[in-house]
Amino acid sequence: MAIPEQFAVFEDFQNTINGRKSSTAETRHGINPATGKPNPEVPISTETDVENAVAASQEAFKTWSEVPLSERANALRAFADGLEPYAEDFAKLLTQEQGKPLSFATGEVQIGIKSLRDTAELSLPDEIIEESDARKIVVRYTPIGVGVGIVPWNFPFSLNIQKLAPAVLTGNTIIIKPSPFTPYCGLKLVELAQRFFPPGVVQALSGGDNLGPWLTAHPGIEKISFTGSSVTGKKVMESASKTLKRVTLELGGKDAAIVCKDVNIEAAAAKLMTYGFINSGQVCLAIKRLYVHEDIYEKFLAAAAKFTKNINVGAGTDEGVFMGPLQNSMQYEKVKTFFEGVTPEQLNLTNGGWDESKPGYFIRPTIIDRPAEDSRLATAEQFGPILPFLTWKDESDVIARANATRMGLGASVWSNDLDQAARIASKLQAGSVWVNTHMELDPRAPFGGHKESGIGCELGIHGLKGWTNLQSLYLNKSA
Ligand code: NAD
């Protein structure tokens, strides 16, 4: 039975198992990162909840996998329509749980809803390899079974949808596991999804640190789509290997931006700082190190520092704020460690750093002028608003330095000489490479990482394929 109209209450957050809201004896809560105040209670799932969800998912798979693709696509479209009336509620909830400014939260909700509609347009038709008098050979894309979507805390609305939509379109069932830091949008989304999908097709479980490992180890689960850090991604893969589950891993990044000497300094600096500090730097595809040509370095640094000093930092609910707090205390403390060894002169450049006198996990956007090339800030993923600036003069040298990392998520080149920019871009080892922009994604183009930034991809036909098994069907025409 579908969940009734009581859905609209954005204060009650439960698991969804087999089409019904499901509570647990023990609960926990997230923290509003702008105020430090507790958000509502959410379930701490037990192993019994996991067993119940997996059983319901397996049962639902039997029929959902047989539903024609056009009907499954229509269910996604109807779900998108069903979310629209709640877009504002979701945006407010997203700011409350994640911290991002309301305007960006609104944008994330719209991106998520659009992603449902974009995915509904995709399909993986059978491929006929041979059709002769004697036989027909068909390559088919068949659903895998019960999937799990494990989601981080930086985009808790859109990343849930990025897992759910391709999973169910291709005929799988899915259990969503939101981050314990930001469980609210994910739980509410799945609760609303019950109006559009049969029981067991889309479920959600929230919990503590043991929930993810229970799911990745469970023999009834066939596919894990994971977005999170590279460290956790390796644990997920190790655990999934015991049952040879399929995995898609969308992991961390250390995106380099290479700035050539012919750019319009003011305009490029503004864009680059936006792509570095958006979501307080907590984006897998945020610019995380800049290589600026030495001929323009001082001017570029001055323009970037001027822009950065004017970035408005505050609670996501305040008018005109560009940067909210860090999402949680763990990340706040982690980002602070990247300031170790930073001098007062370096901090002064952008009035960077933090102010402990206020509640909330706020760190002001900070540029660090030429840290050591082998420093932690220049080499490890900071995932926060502190950005190292380095210089270059030789093209092959800067390409080698940009590639000298185990990460390979995104990278960009900034130049008005498109030949030079394309030449550099083609040599960068990353899943997404841009010229004169960064972070741009298209629903038709695969998004994934090279090296330790991931395995497999999301978005487009390539992302859809990750939710399927390949089957070669040989039909010989006479027995
Ligand atoms: P995280 O790896 O700590 O957690 C991600 C999710 O994994 C959470 O839901 C968490 O509860 C769960 N988890 C933790 N341990 C687990 C285990 N042993 N088994 C199964 N699940 C487990 O990451 P985070 O701190 O939430 O997110 C930040 C990281 O995510 C950054 O490194 C960022 O670059 C990356 N990220 C990548 C992408 C991408 O698409 N490539 C997008 C967003 C974020």
Side-chain angles (χ1 to χ4, degrees):
M1 193 187 78
I3 287 167
E5 291 301 313
Q6 74 204 31
F7 164 78
V9 180
F10 269 69
E11 284 147 22
D12 174 45
F13 300 89
Q14 303 297 346
N15 287 338
T16 298
I17 300 177
N18 204 17
R20 291 171 184 275
K21 278 164 85 162
S22 175
S23 57
T24 55
E26 282 187 60
T27 58
R28 63 191 304 286
H29 58 77
I31 300 281
N32 180 332
T35 62
K37 296 208 172 112
N39 280 328
E41 293 296 306
V42 291
I44 300 181
S45 300
T46 62
E47 283 186 277
T48 305
D49 296 313
V50 171
E51 290 307 330
N52 290 341
V54 173
S57 216
Q58 286 173 322
E59 193 55 34
F61 178 74
K62 291 178 193 162
T63 42
W64 183 249
S65 55
E66 298 289 326
V67 169
L69 178 97
S70 58
E71 279 180 42
R72 296 195 300 246
N74 281 339
L76 284 182
R77 292 185 191 101
F79 184 29
D81 293 345
L83 284 172
E84 290 282 10
Y86 301 104
E88 214 180 304
D89 299 294
F90 272 113
K92 284 186 193 148
L93 183 62
L94 184 48
T95 294
Q96 186 184 333
E97 70 170 320
Q98 205 282 334
K100 65 187 60 181
L102 196 53
S103 56
F104 290 98
T106 304
E108 182 180 336
V109 170
Q110 289 310 332
I111 286 169
I113 294 174
K114 180 174 179 298
S115 160
L116 283 169
R117 298 196 173 110
D118 290 337
T119 306
E121 299 307 311
L122 300 173
S123 65
L124 286 173
D126 291 353
E127 292 166 22
I128 316 265
I129 302 297
E130 181 183 317
E131 171 81 90
S132 63
D133 291 345
R135 65 176 187 169
K136 186 173 176 183
I137 307 175
V138 185
V139 175
R140 302 177 64 226
Y141 296 92
T142 64
I144 299 173
V146 177
V148 163
I150 301 181
V151 180
W153 44 255
N154 59 343
F155 290 93
F157 186 89
S158 58
L159 290 182
N160 281 305
I161 290 182
Q162 211 159 299
K163 309 223 169 285
L164 181 162
V168 300
L169 182 78
T170 43
N172 302 281
T173 52
I174 187 163
I175 301 167
I176 291 289
K177 191 208 91 61
S179 165
F181 292 110
T182 55
Y184 302 95
C185 283
L187 292 176
K188 226 7 119 182
L189 266 173
V190 171
E191 187 186 324
L192 179 57
Q194 304 314 302
R195 293 184 187 168
F196 309 98
F197 299 94
V201 173
V202 182
Q203 304 182 95
L205 296 176
S206 100
D209 290 343
N210 46 15
L211 179 56
W214 286 339
L215 293 166
T216 57
H218 199 292
I221 291 166
E222 306 285 350
K223 159 93 192 182
I224 304 285
S225 179
F226 171 84
T227 300
S229 64
S230 298
V231 171
T232 313
K234 289 177 192 174
K235 290 185 195 158
V236 167
M237 192 162 176
E238 188 182 352
S239 170
S241 73
K242 309 271 172 16
T243 45
L244 286 183
K245 286 180 182 52
R246 276 64 183 140
V247 291
T248 298
L249 303 176
E250 297 282 4
L251 309 178
K254 187 67 182 171
D255 289 18
I258 298 173
V259 184
C260 300
K261 62 183 172 188
D262 65 345
V263 294
N264 175 325
I265 290 177
E266 303 273 323
K271 280 193 198 166
L272 279 144
M273 293 309 95
T274 302
Y275 292 125
F277 294 124
I278 195 164
N279 212 32
S280 306
Q282 304 166 118
V283 187
C284 54
L285 285 174
I287 292 173
K288 299 200 175 106
R289 51 197 169 121
L290 262 88
Y291 296 92
V292 182
H293 195 281
E294 63 177 24
D295 286 2
I296 58 160
Y297 184 77
E298 294 300 342
K299 278 190 185 152
F300 187 90
L301 180 68
K306 188 173 165 208
F307 181 88
T308 301
K309 270 194 218 162
N310 287 326
I311 287 178
N312 198 352
V313 182
T317 45
D318 291 352
E319 199 65 32
V321 162
F322 174 79
M323 245 183 64
L326 279 286
Q327 198 283 320
N328 57 70
S329 63
M330 183 198 71
Q331 191 62 21
Y332 180 60
E333 295 303 329
K334 190 179 141 197
V335 173
K336 278 163 49 178
T337 66
F338 281 90
F339 285 77
E340 276 162 21
V342 166
T343 62
E345 295 76 48
Q346 282 174 316
L347 274 191
N348 274 346
L349 182 67
T350 49
N351 299 329
W354 57 89
D355 176 3
E356 300 270 281
S357 67
K358 290 190 203 141
Y361 311 130
F362 292 98
I363 297 182
R364 291 187 300 277
T366 308
I367 291 171
I368 303 296
D369 177 14
R370 286 166 285 190
E373 186 92 21
D374 62 354
S375 63
R376 222 174 121 241
L377 180 58
T379 56
E381 188 184 36
Q382 63 273 50
F383 218 60
I386 172 167
L387 199 48
F389 274 41
L390 302 153
T391 66
W392 69 279
K393 64 175 176 209
D394 176 73
E395 192 177 301
S396 53
D397 175 61
V398 76
I399 292 168
R401 286 157 68 203
N403 288 338
T405 165
R406 289 299 303 149
M407 302 280 196
L409 196 60
S412 57
V413 187
W414 299 71
S415 173
N416 283 312
D417 177 347
L418 287 187
D419 290 337
Q420 182 190 27
R423 188 172 61 235
I424 298 174
S426 68
K427 292 183 182 148
L428 295 173
Q429 298 163 351
S432 300
V433 181
W434 300 273
V435 168
N436 295 327
T437 186
H438 202 100
M439 226 183 263
E440 208 172 279
L441 296 178
D442 187 287
R444 296 161 300 179
F447 164 56
H450 292 188
K451 301 192 263 188
E452 293 187 17
S453 287
I455 289 185
C457 67
E458 292 186 323
L459 302 184
I461 292 295
H462 297 86
L464 222 50
K465 285 182 180 171
W467 281 100
T468 62
N469 280 318
L470 273 175
Q471 182 181 69
S472 298
L473 185 60
Y474 295 80
L475 295 159
N476 281 288
K477 294 184 178 172
S478 74

